[in-house]
Amino acid sequence: MQVISQQIQQRWPQLLPYWQLARLDRPIGSLLLLWPTWWALWIAAEGWPGLHLFAVFTLGVVLTRAAGCAVNDFADRNIDGHVKRTNQRPLATGAATPKGALLLFAGLMLAAFLLVLTTNRLTVLLSLPALALAFCYPFAKRYTHLPQVVLGAAFSMGIPMAFAAVQGEVPAVAWLIFTANLLWTVAYDTFYAMVDRDDDLRIGVKSTAILFGDMDRVMTGSLQAMVVLALLMLGSREALGALFYCGVAAATGLFIYQQRLVRNRQRALCFQAFLNNNWAGAAIFAGIFFHFLAN
């Protein structure tokens, strides 16, 4: 991604702020969205879902995450400049315009919707609440201390959509995976919010990190424990084998490591704990992937 950013800067410097606005230079958010979407696709299809659906959901995740970043920065355009981690974002510095951010959001969501139109009616219908959640999340932090729950729901909508696309229905197991991912998202996004907690308190932005206060480690640890429990229930319900449980064990070890990282609530280490969740999602997907590959 760094190479692509450099090429854009050299050839189309006017586009670079919008590339950065969509966070296409920072793929961690797309990866955190992709892993649970791929969990759902592989379980729904009992293995490889086919090139069409794999491409639709992979590209769709990248596009909707980029759109979500654009509208998030639009909503935070008067706040980001006062937060240490975000004061160099394109809207905060004036490199991009609010109108440009909204046009980028609309264009990316339109492209994602066109991809969904190649699936079936139920998947298209489920994309509508997914769009609403993606748009509403950035504004949730103004009115509730639970914006991470809204984000968790937004990040989980690819799961019922994947089952709808593969099976034509959304069975109970899809909602079990949805719940596991929502809990996981709240946990790791609380780590993310812990990075900004001092700044958010000063400017009046709400988050679960502020809500949990001194109980932040207990709460994130409890959420992670519930994620593991939900995954164990998933393994039992779907008769997933030892390879899946190895993936869950690896993710559990990573959750424990993350709790050690945040024990002193240092900004850099809280951010590192957030980033480490990419490997937890990958471990779970590896368990699912190799289970179906071996059967």
Side-chain angles (χ1 to χ4, degrees), residues 95-107:
T97 66
K99 180 180 178 180
L102 288 178
L103 288 173
L104 181 62
F105 170 76

Side-chain angles (χ1 to χ4, degrees), residues 146 183 186-188 190-191 194 208-209 211-227 259 265:
L146 299 172
L183 294 169
V186 174
Y188 67 64
T190 299
F191 294 150
M194 288 166 69
T208 48
L211 177 65
F212 295 159
D214 291 340
M215 293 290 289
D216 49 9
R217 290 188 61 203
V218 173
M219 293 300 295
T220 53
S222 298
L223 288 165
Q224 289 173 322
M226 287 189 283
V227 172
Q259 288 298 321
R265 302 178 177 87

Side-chain angles (χ1 to χ4, degrees), residues 16-27:
L16 183 62
Y18 295 95
W19 176 266
Q20 296 170 335
L21 182 65
R23 299 294 195 282
L24 293 172
D25 57 330
R26 298 186 178 185

Side-chain angles (χ1 to χ4, degrees), residues 132-214:
L133 285 166
F135 184 80
C136 290
Y137 160 69
F139 302 95
K141 67 188 78 172
R142 311 290 194 281
Y143 306 104
T144 174
H145 279 96
L146 299 172
Q148 281 69 31
V149 176
V150 181
L151 180 69
F155 269 33
S156 300
M157 281 305 300
I159 295 166
M161 289 176 65
F163 274 88
V166 173
Q167 300 183 0
E169 61 178 0
V170 185
V173 67
W175 298 112
L176 176 59
I177 303 171
F178 181 100
T179 301
N181 189 57
L182 190 152
L183 294 169
W184 180 42
T185 306
V186 174
Y188 67 64
D189 204 55
T190 299
F191 294 150
Y192 194 75
M194 288 166 69
V195 177
D196 298 335
R197 180 158 45 192
D198 293 342
D199 292 327
D200 288 346
L201 282 167
R202 177 169 49 82
I203 61 180
V205 171
K206 300 176 175 63
S207 72
T208 48
I210 293 171
L211 177 65
F212 295 159
D214 291 340

Side-chain angles (χ1 to χ4, degrees), residues 16 78 119-120 155 204 220 266:
L16 183 62
N78 297 321
T119 59
N120 57 35
F155 269 33
T220 53
Q266 297 176 21

Side-chain angles (χ1 to χ4, degrees), residues 272-286:
Q272 187 178 335
F274 162 74
L275 294 175
N276 185 258
N277 279 276
N278 175 48
W279 299 109
I284 296 164
F285 175 69

Side-chain angles (χ1 to χ4, degrees), residues 34 37-38 41 52-62 115 119 123 157-159 161-163 165-166:
L34 275 173
T37 303
W38 287 348
L41 274 175
H52 170 240
L53 289 182
F54 179 76
V56 165
F57 279 89
T58 300
L59 292 173
V61 160
V62 173
L115 284 172
T119 59
T123 311
M157 281 305 300
I159 295 166
M161 289 176 65
F163 274 88
V166 173

Side-chain angles (χ1 to χ4, degrees), residues 30-48:
S30 295
L31 290 169
L32 290 171
L33 262 168
L34 275 173
W35 296 127
T37 303
W38 287 348
W39 304 347
L41 274 175
W42 255 257
I43 290 174
E46 296 185 348
W48 171 242

